[in-house]
Amino acid sequence: MSSSSRETMLDPLKSWKFMIWPTIIFKPIDLFFFLLKSILAIFIVASFSLFLYSVFSSQPQQWLPSSTCNNQKFITPNNISTQTQEKTDLSHIQFGIGGSAKTWNNRRRYCELWWRPNVTRGFVWLDEKPQNYEKLPPNSPPYKISGDTSSFKYTSWYGSRSAVRMARIVKESFELGLENVRWFVMGDDDTVFFLENLVTVLNKYDHNQMYYIGGNSESVEQDVIHSYNMAYGGGGFAISYPLATELVRVLDGCINRYHSFYGSDQKVQGCMSEIGIPVTKELGFHQVDIRGNPYGLLAGHPLAPLVSLHHLDYVESIFPRMTQIESLKKLISAYEKDPSRALQHSFCYDLKRNWSISVSWGYTLQLYPSLVTAKILETPLLTFKSWRSWHNEPFTFNTRPIGDDTCQKPIVFWFDRVERVKDDWTLTSYTRHFEESEKDCDRQDYAPALAVRFFNVSSSKLNPSIWNMAPRRQCCEVIHDGNGADGQIQVKIRGCKRFESVTPP
Ligand SMILES: *[C@@H]1O[C@H](CO)[C@@H](O)[C@H](O)[C@H]1NC(C)=O
Ligand SMILES: *[C@@H]1O[C@H](CO)[C@@H](O)[C@H](O)[C@H]1NC(C)=O
Ligand SMILES: *[C@@H]1O[C@H](CO)[C@@H](O)[C@H](O)[C@H]1NC(C)=O
Ligand SMILES: *[C@@H]1O[C@H](CO)[C@@H](O)[C@H](O)[C@H]1NC(C)=O
C-alpha cells in the first residue's frame, strides 16, 4: 500500500472529529453525545492504527524459503523491498536440464554453447553417472543424479518412463535450496538458451507472483495431442519461486494422477491446472517441433526476443554447409554483439530499382527484385514440415509456400560476419551461397539483383528496454548502392520515423 492511499483513508476520520467539536458548549445531552462520540472515535482510531500496525509490521514472506526446510543453505532475505526492486539477472535463475547418461556426451555440446561456468547456476539431471565425466570441459553444466522414480505410475503406451524423472527435476532443484533463486528455468539437454534475452523476458514479470512462462509447439498436431495450455519442455519454461513453492507440494501426486500423459511438461502442466495458473506465452521460446529446413521459422521470427531453440538434431543445419554446432556458433557470434536484435526483422524498399529487402538480423537477408508487401515479407516461408506427420500444415502461425519457380523465390543472403563499429553500432554482412544444384532465375529483370554479391547492414545496439514497450518492427533504408557496380549494397536499420511505414508507392 502506498502512503498516499493511507492518507485518503484517514481523511474522513479527521473531518468527522472537526464536525463534532463545536457541539460541546451547549446542552448536557450534547455533552453526553459528545463523550459517546469521542470514545467511539478514539476506539475507531485506535483499532485502525492497530490494523495498520499489524499490516505493515508483519512479514509478507511466507513463500520464501523458511528455515524449517531441511537445508542450512536456505536464507531468508531480510530486506524484501530492495530485493524486489533489484532487476532480475542471471544469478537469480536456477536451471534444471533434463538429460540422460546415455545421450549426455552428444547433447552436452548444445548446453556447452550457452552454459557459463561460475555464472549460470543449476544442474543437468541424469539417470546415472555419465562416462568420462572427469574429462568434461569446464563449460559443461555440473550434473546431479535424479532420485529413484520406480514407485511412480506411468502408463503412456507411446512414451518413456523417463518423463517421470524429468517432471521431478523442478522439485529436486527446489529442494537443493540454493540461495536467492527467483526463477526455475527448465530445459532439455538439447535446448539452447539465449541468456541475455531470457533475463530480458523474465524481467517483464514480477518474480514475487506466480508465473509459468513458455511457449507452445509450432505443430498444431502436437498442440492438439499434448496441449495448447502448456509450456513445452524442450523450448524451456520458467517458473517463479512462489509458484515453485506451491508446485513442489503437489507434484508427486500429479505425476501419479496424470500417469497416462506422455511428457514431463504435460505432467507439470497438470499440476499448474490444479493450482490454477495458466501458461504465460512468450514468443521467443522455441520448441522447434518441425522437420526439414528451419530456415523459414528463423528468418520469420516474430517481434520478440529470441529466448531458446530446441530439437536442433532433428532439423537441417541452420546455415548451409556447416554442422549444426558450427551453425549455432555462427548465429551466437551475431547474437552476442546485439542480443535483443538477433533474428529481428526489418523491411525496406529500394525505390530506385523497385526492390524489396527483408533482413532477419544476424541470420539472413532476402532480396526480391519487385515490390513485395510487408504482410507477405513477415510471413515465414514454408521450408519445413510438421513434427509428427511431416505434413505442410498446419502450424500455429501462417506460412507462405515456396514454389519451384526460381523467379518467385527471394535471392537469399546468409549472415557472414559481424563487427562492432563503434560502441553502439554493429555492422553485419550477408553473402550469397551458391548451391550447385540450384539454378537462378534467368529472367532479364532478375539479372541486376543476381549481380549483388553482398549486403552490409549497420544498426545501433537495440536496448532491451524496448521489449517492455509496445512492440514495433524497426525500419531500414538503402543508404548507398554504387548502382550495384561493386556488387555490394549498404542498408541501415533504425527506429521508424513518425508516420513511416513499409508502403509501396
Ligand atoms: C533496506 O533497503 C533500503 C533501501 O536500499 C535501505 O535504506 C535499508 O537500510 C535496508 N534495510 C536493511 C535492514 O538492510
Ligand atoms: C569457478 O570457480 C572455481 C572455484 O571458485 C574455480 O576454481 C574455477 O577456476 C572457476 N572456473 C572458471 C571457469 O572461472
Ligand atoms: C517502380 O514501381 C512504381 C509503381 O509500380 C512505378 O511507377 C515505377 O515506374 C517503378 N520504377 C522503376 C524504376 O521500375
Ligand atoms: C562490407 O562487408 C564486407 C564483407 O564482409 C567487408 O569486406 C567490407 O569491409 C564491408 N564494407 C564496409 C563499408 O564496411
Side-chain angles (χ1 to χ4, degrees):
M1 193 189 293
S2 72
S3 58
S4 63
S5 64
R6 231 181 304 164
E7 268 157 330
T8 38
M9 284 176 73
L10 284 170
D11 263 349
L13 271 180
K14 265 195 239 156
S15 48
W16 182 54
K17 273 191 287 179
F18 287 126
M19 250 165 51
I20 60 170
W21 189 246
T23 60
I24 54 158
I25 0 169
F26 298 108
K27 296 166 216 158
I29 186 81
D30 282 339
L31 189 67
F32 170 76
F33 277 121
F34 168 69
L35 286 175
L36 196 73
K37 284 173 184 172
S38 303
I39 290 165
L40 227 110
I42 288 164
F43 176 74
I44 289 172
V45 170
S47 51
F48 188 70
S49 315
L50 203 71
F51 166 74
L52 282 183
Y53 175 78
S54 64
V55 164
F56 289 99
S57 65
S58 68
Q59 306 279 313
Q61 301 181 356
Q62 281 110 317
W63 50 266
L64 288 167
S66 83
S67 46
T68 54
C69 293
N70 55 8
N71 209 305
Q72 74 280 20
K73 272 182 279 175
F74 270 144
I75 51 146
T76 306
N78 53 10
N79 200 335
I80 185 153
S81 62
T82 46
Q83 216 212 0
T84 316
Q85 278 149 25
E86 184 194 316
K87 282 183 90 176
T88 291
D89 59 40
L90 267 184
S91 74
H92 297 114
I93 299 173
Q94 181 176 346
F95 289 93
I97 305 161
S100 72
K102 213 182 262 170
T103 57
W104 183 234
N105 241 336
N106 180 39
R107 295 286 183 84
R108 67 182 168 80
R109 297 171 308 142
Y110 290 113
C111 294
E112 287 161 8
L113 290 170
W114 61 270
W115 188 261
R116 295 183 200 160
N118 292 355
V119 177
T120 38
R121 297 199 293 165
F123 301 91
V124 56
W125 294 82
L126 304 173
D127 44 353
E128 55 190 30
K129 213 181 216 178
Q131 284 177 338
N132 302 327
Y133 73 99
E134 317 83 356
K135 289 190 220 134
L136 296 186
N139 59 332
S140 216
Y143 74 91
K144 291 234 177 247
I145 308 289
S146 304
D148 178 32
T149 55
S150 53
S151 62
F152 288 90
K153 209 170 158 189
Y154 185 82
T155 59
S156 168
W157 60 270
Y158 61 102
S160 151
R161 263 203 80 82
S162 63
V164 172
R165 194 170 65 78
M166 301 298 168
R168 294 190 81 250
I169 289 176
V170 61
K171 184 170 154 78
E172 291 186 277
S173 297
F174 182 89
E175 284 166 355
L176 293 175
L178 299 191
E179 291 172 12
N180 206 9
V181 173
R182 294 181 179 183
W183 297 94
F184 293 93
V185 172
M186 303 293 122
D188 282 356
D189 49 3
D190 60 342
T191 306
V192 175
F193 282 109
F194 294 82
L195 296 175
E196 286 77 10
N197 291 348
L198 173 65
V199 168
T200 297
V201 164
L202 294 182
N203 259 310
K204 286 166 65 178
Y205 303 95
D206 178 358
H207 62 277
N208 291 312
Q209 297 186 42
M210 297 205 280
Y211 277 112
Y212 166 50
I213 302 170
N216 269 172
S217 170
E218 294 83 356
S219 286
V220 165
E221 58 194 17
Q222 288 286 91
D223 292 318
V224 168
I225 293 168
H226 300 298
S227 175
Y228 278 101
N229 299 334
M230 83 180 189
Y232 278 65
F237 55 86
I239 293 176
S240 62
Y241 197 97
L243 178 54
T245 310
E246 301 225 356
L247 175 66
V248 300
R249 291 170 72 101
V250 288
L251 185 65
D252 285 348
C254 296
I255 290 174
N256 281 330
R257 239 182 328 283
Y258 303 112
H259 55 84
S260 66
F261 285 4
Y262 165 86
S264 58
D265 43 8
Q266 269 178 300
K267 293 170 197 291
V268 168
Q269 197 274 325
C271 262
M272 294 300 183
S273 169
E274 293 186 6
I275 301 168
I277 303 295
V279 59
T280 297
K281 287 177 191 167
E282 272 286 343
L283 295 172
F285 289 86
H286 298 288
Q287 169 79 4
V288 192
D289 270 351
I290 56 169
R291 305 282 183 167
N293 188 343
Y295 177 82
L297 180 76
L298 299 182
H301 197 270
L303 194 47
L306 168 66
V307 175
S308 69
L309 291 174
H310 175 238
H311 271 163
L312 294 152
D313 274 345
Y314 298 86
V315 288
E316 289 167 20
S317 286
I318 63 175
F319 285 102
R321 288 188 187 161
M322 281 190 171
T323 65
Q324 194 62 289
I325 295 287
E326 286 168 349
S327 296
L328 287 161
K329 283 183 178 160
K330 185 161 199 162
L331 183 68
I332 290 169
S333 73
Y335 163 80
E336 281 172 341
K337 291 283 193 300
D338 193 352
S340 284
R341 198 183 285 285
L343 298 186
Q344 296 308 305
H345 253 159
S346 291
F347 310 140
C348 40
Y349 296 132
D350 177 350
L351 290 177
K352 252 167 84 182
R353 291 172 289 205
N354 282 351
W355 286 357
S356 307
I357 291 157
S358 162
V359 186
S360 305
W361 192 89
Y363 181 49
T364 185
L365 185 150
Q366 294 165 9
L367 172 62
Y368 299 78
S370 58
L371 295 173
V372 182
T373 61
K375 179 73 198 149
I376 292 175
L377 294 176
E378 74 179 5
T379 306
L381 284 164
L382 185 55
T383 59
F384 45 85
K385 306 268 182 206
S386 68
W387 175 255
R388 179 174 285 264
S389 61
W390 295 70
H391 277 118
N392 280 335
E393 55 173 11
F395 296 98
T396 51
F397 46 85
N398 297 108
T399 55
R400 56 181 157 129
I402 334 178
D404 292 331
D405 182 358
T406 49
C407 296
Q408 296 297 318
K409 290 182 190 176
I411 302 166
V412 172
F413 293 74
W414 298 90
F415 165 67
D416 181 38
R417 57 197 194 95
V418 59
E419 56 185 281
R420 188 157 277 168
V421 185
K422 279 179 278 155
D423 284 350
D424 271 1
W425 281 83
T426 58
L427 185 78
T428 46
S429 57
Y430 303 79
T431 60
R432 283 199 70 193
H433 163 85
F434 300 93
E435 292 271 358
E436 279 133 39
S437 58
E438 207 164 297
K439 257 191 72 202
D440 284 330
C441 169
D442 52 11
R443 236 165 52 198
Q444 200 72 55
D445 56 332
Y446 252 73
L450 287 168
V452 178
R453 287 184 301 121
F454 58 85
F455 279 83
N456 286 9
V457 175
S458 65
S459 56
S460 67
K461 202 173 168 198
L462 206 52
N463 190 327
S465 65
I466 65 134
W467 299 118
N468 290 320
M469 298 187 237
R472 185 179 185 185
R473 193 182 55 228
Q474 288 213 313
C475 290
C476 59
E477 57 188 291
V478 176
I479 48 174
H480 157 78
D481 60 37
N483 284 320
D486 51 359
Q488 60 172 291
I489 295 182
Q490 315 284 330
V491 172
K492 180 182 167 187
I493 301 180
R494 48 161 179 76
C496 301
K497 296 172 189 156
R498 195 156 181 242
F499 300 124
E500 182 174 6
S501 56
V502 185
T503 305

